[in-house]
Amino acid sequence: MTDQSDQLLPTTRRALLHHIAVAQSEGRTPSLVAGVVRDGRPVWSGARSMVDGHAPDLNVQYRIGSLTKTFVAVLVLRLRDEGLVDLADPLGRHLPGTPADDVTVAQLLAHSGGLAAETPGPWWERTDGALRPDLGDLLDAEHPLKHPAGRRHHYSNPGYALLGALVEQLRGEPWGEVLRREVLAPLGMDRTTLLPEHPHAGGFAVHPWADVMLPEPLTDTGRMGPAGQLWSTGADLARWAAFLAAGDDRVLSAGTIAEMSRPAVGPDNADWTSGYGLGLQLRRDEGRLLYGHSGSMPGFTAGLWVSAEDGLAAFALSNATNGLSTATLAAQLIGITAAHEPRLPAPWRPLAAVDQELLALTGPWFWGAAPNVLRLRADGVLELAPQAGGHRGSRFRPEPDGTWLGLDNYHAGETLRVVRHPDGAVSHLDVGSFVYTREPYGPAGTVPGAVPGGVDPEGWRAY
């Protein structure tokens, strides 16, 4: 058992340790290691083992299964951010000749291309990759699609194998080498590898009706590697969690990470509890939205989640094929930490400097007769929101041309312009053709014709 942090309260650490102890015992897993990251820093780790007096530390490798997909997605988004690929590109534009030529890069990332969930032939997770030497072996060439492309989420392991091949095609070297150089090395993740390196856990299946175990094979899955090949440690996953929480400009910006963590395909029902972004799973858990990924390969399970609102992330690793849901455990660790030590809001501080022209724009603005309020935030960001609240409130970032770009909610991606009279005085605000005036449907002081449809010349009156 390890408990290396004094940064959480003793009651919190005890609650976390108790929770993983129960999970290891009731889940009947040979060993378990878990940890919590707060505001980008590891603050707690714990482990349990079937061996008395011994438990894995944060340097022991476990296979992380489909958590590998988050790494592959980062490599693809790096290509997009460099302008080497567009997410709307069909795969065949860059990697022609596969059964998925017409599926777009975005659809592959989001598992919405309609591709088969698994490869034809023997179960790829327990067989050598040499059985599938070519990309054409990853899908049934005659029937690669199970659903129309772009219509629904349908998880596809071969789809991520194709994304790994896309990385190799555009970088000109194996995807694992690209990952090591572009992602792992900058983040200091030197214990994340394609094949196990000592010390590492062995993988086991635990009999469902008896307390006996069976060793699982440690396979090299070859071309299917981008779907679930990686091995990692608790220490490295803490670094990965911190990266997924805030980004790192050496690897991928915070803005692109935010893009990855938004739903890419609509949910199947109104009460959705899980979804998928661009390489990241989404999960609703006890009222909070988490993003990250689960993972499993024969002998191993893994889970890692980030709660942006709480400033928390957690991971869990085990070396049993079944019995313990490490994904659920990681989510519960976030919930326990947040309940014991809720996030403290940042202290209010006044702006260090203020642009008087921006200050003059603040206050009430009316969209027709609906009152809105414009506020000035840090770094020149404007926030325009209905006075009564609602989904149309948005923040706007200043752009070099003097406009503002919508960052979220209804006006995300839209442009806010300050329309002025010839003498420079402010007339009104224009947000994607929405006109905001200082008075309800107020023509006074506005450019003639600024209000679409015009304003009755008699103005407001009683009936």
Side-chain angles (χ1 to χ4, degrees), residues 351-391:
L351 297 175
V354 62
D355 183 324
Q356 293 298 323
E357 289 192 1
L358 290 183
L359 186 61
L361 292 176
T362 61
W365 289 88
F366 293 86
W367 177 49
N372 291 257
V373 176
L374 187 71
R375 294 179 172 87
L376 175 61
R377 302 302 192 189
D379 300 323
V381 170
L382 298 176
E383 181 182 73
L384 180 64
Q387 188 174 27
H391 69 285

Side-chain angles (χ1 to χ4, degrees), residues 158-301:
Y160 265 75
L162 294 175
L163 287 174
L166 173 66
V167 171
E168 294 185 349
Q169 177 75 8
L170 295 180
R171 292 300 195 203
E173 60 182 318
W175 74 275
E177 287 300 312
V178 180
L179 178 66
R180 182 191 58 78
R181 185 184 68 254
E182 296 187 3
V183 177
L184 302 178
L187 297 179
M189 298 177 63
D190 57 0
R191 289 281 290 147
T192 299
T193 56
L194 289 176
L195 296 174
E197 296 181 358
H198 183 78
H200 67 85
F204 295 92
V206 178
H207 195 285
W209 317 126
D211 291 334
V212 293
M213 305 192 308
L214 180 74
E216 291 273 26
L218 303 182
T219 54
D220 181 348
T221 58
R223 287 206 171 270
M224 285 298 295
Q229 180 68 32
L230 287 179
W231 295 69
S232 192
T233 67
D236 271 11
L237 287 187
R239 296 182 180 96
W240 190 239
F243 164 72
L244 290 178
D248 186 317
D249 288 340
R250 297 172 300 171
V251 177
L252 210 61
S253 70
T256 300
I257 294 291
E259 180 183 1
M260 294 173 66
S261 64
R262 290 193 289 267
V265 182
D268 289 335
N269 58 74
D271 298 322
W272 68 274
T273 56
S274 63
Y276 213 89
L278 299 176
L280 292 175
Q281 290 177 329
L282 312 178
R283 176 177 179 139
R284 280 179 171 172
D285 189 84
E286 297 183 351
R288 58 176 49 86
L289 180 62
L290 309 177
Y291 63 86
H293 219 287
S294 59
S296 67
M297 287 292 281
F300 296 92
T301 65

